[in-house]
Amino acid sequence: MLRDGCILTDHPDDDEKISPRHPHLFPLLAKCPNILEYELEMPSPSHSHPTIADVVTLSAVLDREEQETRGSVQVRDRLIGEHLSLSLTRTETALRWLNSVCNEDARVRSIRDNAENATHWTGGIIAAIGLLFGWTAALGVFYFDGSGRVNAIGVLAIFVLLPGLLLLPFIAVALPSRFLSWLPGANAAIALARGLSPGRLSTLIMRFFPAEAREAWKQLSGRVGAHRRLFLNLQKWALLRWSQSFALGFQVAALTSTLYLVVFTDLAFGWSTTLTSGHPDEDAQNIHVIASAIAFPWASALPEAVPSLELITESRYFRAATDPLTHEQASRLGGWWTFIAMTMLVYGLSPRIISFLVAGNRLNAATRHAFLSTPGLSSVLNRLRQAHVQTASDEPEAPRISE
């Protein structure tokens, strides 16, 4: 058992057990006299890339090392280092070392579990909020009681135009800082992204977590304050990933509820706007040109998802003078749904899938950089490497065979 960096035993013949297998540990016996032969199980990490929970756990372990004796830390790392291969990368070595520490220390293991639960629950709750908002927005936008029509222009404005505009600040934030000076209004877009980011809900969500999970995040926040340049990028991409989780959930719910309403209810679409030329035929032609341009990506594969000029002309309506629809008119006006669904898929959902994947990729890179750059980890890796070299030098050479 590993306790306070030393191996404790109840066996009276511990020294005999240690001497043949760990002769290099005798210089440390004076500092840590209760060393025993330690059959260390070197578990393989469940993931090959560090996570935010790993960064939180590593920070906690390295902070605790400052309160431990140098001898106990050396003993622990030598015992772990003997079981590590020099062929491992720095990331793999650090993750296996951290796994070993977690397996032997319940407090460290608890910190990692709490941090993992906090990150998973935060991302899940934010995505669930996005789903709720998307479903609610769709029910409101597609509300139809038979007395009017669902305005196709309003649907596209809510589910395509507005999310597209909100995607621009994400693009500005995602760009490398050296490019931002070339873009006019980039700083304003970044400020807007920070102010409207759904990822900021994470601060509110954390308040409802157990005290242990909150404490784990406080340790990481302390590291952010002490090493701002190192951990700020990690914090930024974590918030952006959660923001894209919200946006992706919103679009998924909106498209799903649209298809649900199309299948299980009767919707009659139309279009109406105050911005007109005063000539009905010219207005219909302009809308047809715009709709054809929007439908260009799928026009050849799905021609039925492009509204015809006849449908656009027939579906225009004015709220001040709306006549009741006949069954035939309502059936024809439902033909807008394929165009609306494809527009939401191509211009609403697809960009959010891409931004979600980009944010995840950048978050992984920022997490790995923060993990490997954590102050104190280089000393750990050096001790592990020295332990492996020392073990190899202590092994007896094979006898030479004379010819």
Side-chain angles (χ1 to χ4, degrees):
M1 178 180 180
L2 185 64
R3 183 183 300 168
D4 297 331
C6 299
I7 309 301
L8 306 182
T9 179
D10 296 328
H11 297 289
D13 55 346
D14 290 338
D15 292 341
E16 296 180 1
K17 289 188 176 183
I18 297 173
S19 55
R21 294 187 53 186
H22 301 282
H24 55 282
L25 294 180
F26 279 106
L28 299 174
L29 284 173
K31 297 180 180 180
C32 192
N34 293 325
I35 299 177
L36 59 81
E37 178 186 17
Y38 181 50
E39 296 294 341
L40 180 67
E41 295 182 1
M42 184 60 58
S44 298
S46 58
H47 47 274
S48 58
H49 300 284
T51 63
I52 296 178
D54 292 324
V55 177
V56 174
T57 308
L58 179 63
S59 299
V61 172
L62 296 179
D63 285 343
R64 287 179 53 187
E65 279 191 359
E66 299 176 358
Q67 304 173 0
E68 297 179 359
T69 62
R70 181 178 179 83
S72 64
V73 172
Q74 288 178 336
V75 170
R76 178 201 66 194
D77 291 346
R78 282 195 176 188
L79 291 173
I80 295 175
E82 290 176 355
H83 297 75
L84 295 175
S85 171
L86 289 177
S87 63
L88 296 175
T89 64
R90 284 170 53 88
T91 303
E92 292 171 338
T93 300
L95 285 175
R96 288 175 182 253
W97 170 83
L98 188 61
N99 265 16
S100 299
V101 174
C102 288
N103 287 343
E104 290 302 318
D105 193 323
R107 290 177 296 177
V108 175
R109 188 165 59 250
S110 176
I111 291 174
R112 170 183 268 182
D113 293 341
N114 289 326
E116 287 181 348
N117 292 334
T119 53
H120 292 160
W121 275 103
T122 299
I125 291 174
I126 290 178
I129 295 175
L131 289 169
L132 179 62
F133 273 58
W135 185 269
T136 304
L139 293 180
V141 172
F142 286 99
Y143 175 75
F144 177 67
D145 60 359
S147 61
R149 305 178 192 182
V150 178
N151 192 349
I153 295 179
V155 172
L156 299 182
I158 296 296
F159 293 119
V160 177
L161 180 60
L162 182 59
L165 293 176
L166 294 178
L167 189 62
L168 296 178
F170 168 79
I171 296 175
V173 174
L175 288 175
S177 56
R178 61 180 179 273
F179 293 128
L180 296 180
S181 59
W182 301 348
L183 297 177
N187 293 330
I190 293 175
L192 179 63
R194 291 174 179 173
L196 300 179
S197 172
R200 295 171 66 90
L201 293 172
S202 60
T203 304
L204 177 62
I205 295 172
M206 290 291 179
R207 297 179 182 178
F208 298 94
F209 285 161
E212 295 81 4
R214 296 198 304 269
E215 183 62 27
W217 280 102
K218 285 182 181 179
Q219 293 186 9
L220 180 60
S221 299
R223 285 268 171 174
V224 172
H227 307 281
R228 184 173 179 82
R229 293 184 61 183
L230 176 61
F231 291 98
L232 188 61
N233 203 41
L234 171 60
Q235 185 184 49
K236 179 186 81 170
W237 282 107
L239 293 177
L240 286 176
R241 176 60 182 266
W242 287 331
S243 298
Q244 297 313 302
S245 298
F246 175 94
L248 181 60
F250 180 91
Q251 291 292 340
V252 168
L255 182 57
T256 302
S257 58
T258 298
L259 297 177
Y260 171 83
L261 293 173
V262 167
V263 173
F264 295 102
T265 64
D266 54 333
L267 297 178
F269 294 94
W271 65 276
S272 178
T273 177
T274 308
L275 304 177
T276 62
S277 64
H279 303 283
D281 293 338
E282 182 179 347
D283 293 337
Q285 184 65 39
N286 292 335
I287 295 296
H288 182 256
V289 171
I290 296 174
S292 299
I294 293 174
F296 176 78
W298 64 84
S300 57
L302 294 173
E304 65 274 10
V306 183
S308 64
L309 179 59
E310 293 76 12
L311 177 61
I312 293 175
T313 302
E314 182 182 9
S315 59
R316 185 178 186 181
Y317 73 99
F318 296 90
R319 291 188 300 170
T322 301
D323 297 327
L325 295 174
T326 64
H327 294 289
E328 293 77 9
Q329 287 178 318
S331 177
R332 290 194 300 269
L333 296 182
W336 275 91
W337 79 267
T338 52
F339 170 75
I340 291 176
M342 287 300 301
T343 303
M344 294 174 65
L345 174 64
V346 173
Y347 297 104
L349 180 59
S350 297
R352 289 303 178 177
I353 294 176
I354 296 174
S355 64
F356 178 80
L357 296 176
V358 169
N361 180 267
R362 297 292 294 271
L363 175 60
N364 290 337
T367 304
R368 181 176 180 275
H369 180 266
F371 182 78
L372 293 177
S373 304
T374 300
L377 180 61
S378 296
S379 299
V380 172
L381 296 176
N382 288 335
R383 291 195 296 268
L384 296 174
R385 185 180 67 253
Q386 292 171 2
H388 192 280
V389 173
Q390 181 67 41
T391 302
S393 64
D394 289 337
E395 293 179 355
E397 296 183 358
R400 296 181 179 179
I401 300 176
S402 58
E403 297 181 358

